Amino acid sequence: EFGTDTDDTTSKLRNVVVSYNTKVNTDADVFIGKGVTLSTLLTCYGGDTVIECDCPDTKVHGGTFLFAGTWAGGTSFSSYGGVSTLNSGVATLTNCNVYKGTVDFTKSSNVRTISNASLGNGGVIRFNTVYAVFTNGIGSADASQVQTFTGS
């Protein structure tokens, strides 16, 4: 755990990598709280990761990922596998690329604005059109793919 006591603890982290030994979903358990400044990159290859602080660039390759913080402008999120829940406060996400895995925006009733989104053949984006607003729609991450999107 990092930055869990926001009253008197601050931490600065850069290039955090969460990995696993043999069990992709259970070998690592990471919590990064509001008291952390995560300056560049968070990469998750597995485990169970929860963050409450802003992260300029997040890449999820596997495991489970829960984002419970508030994004600052200019943030990029990419999914290459696993299950990610973007359960944030009112926020703007500049880029959301879902090549594989699942990205879920349905667990929060806060409005999120996603400026640029793309979805690949192995990806799933779950969203409610009232609470997740895709400014430029959802494009294809695969040039040969034709897609139909339905929000709930």
Side-chain angles (χ1 to χ4, degrees), residues 94 96 114-119 125 127 133-140 147 149:
T94 302
C96 181
I114 302 92
S115 299
N116 303 300
S118 65
L119 183 63
I125 299 176
F127 64 98
V133 178
F134 293 87
T135 307
N136 298 312
I138 301 173
S140 176
Q147 301 170 321
F149 303 100

Side-chain angles (χ1 to χ4, degrees), residues 10 14 38 40 42 48 50-51 64-65 73 81 86 88 91-92 95 101 113 115-116 135 148:
T10 58
R14 183 182 71 180
L38 191 51
T40 53
L42 172 67
D48 185 18
V50 177
I51 68 169
T64 58
F65 176 80
L86 304 182
S88 65
T92 298
N95 297 302
T113 301
S115 299
N116 303 300
T135 307
T148 303

Side-chain angles (χ1 to χ4, degrees), residues 118-134:
S118 65
L119 183 63
N121 284 329
V124 174
I125 299 176
R126 293 186 180 135
F127 64 98
N128 179 307
T129 56
V130 174
Y131 302 116
V133 178
F134 293 87

Side-chain angles (χ1 to χ4, degrees), residues 6 15 24 29-30 33 43-44 57 85 92 101 103 114 132 141 146-147 149:
T6 59
N15 294 335
V24 68
D29 191 14
V30 176
T43 304
C44 301
D57 190 5
T85 301
T92 298
V103 175
I114 302 92
V146 176
Q147 301 170 321
F149 303 100

Side-chain angles (χ1 to χ4, degrees), residues 60-72:
V60 177
H61 295 266
T64 58
F65 176 80
L66 170 63
F67 186 86
T70 301
W71 289 297

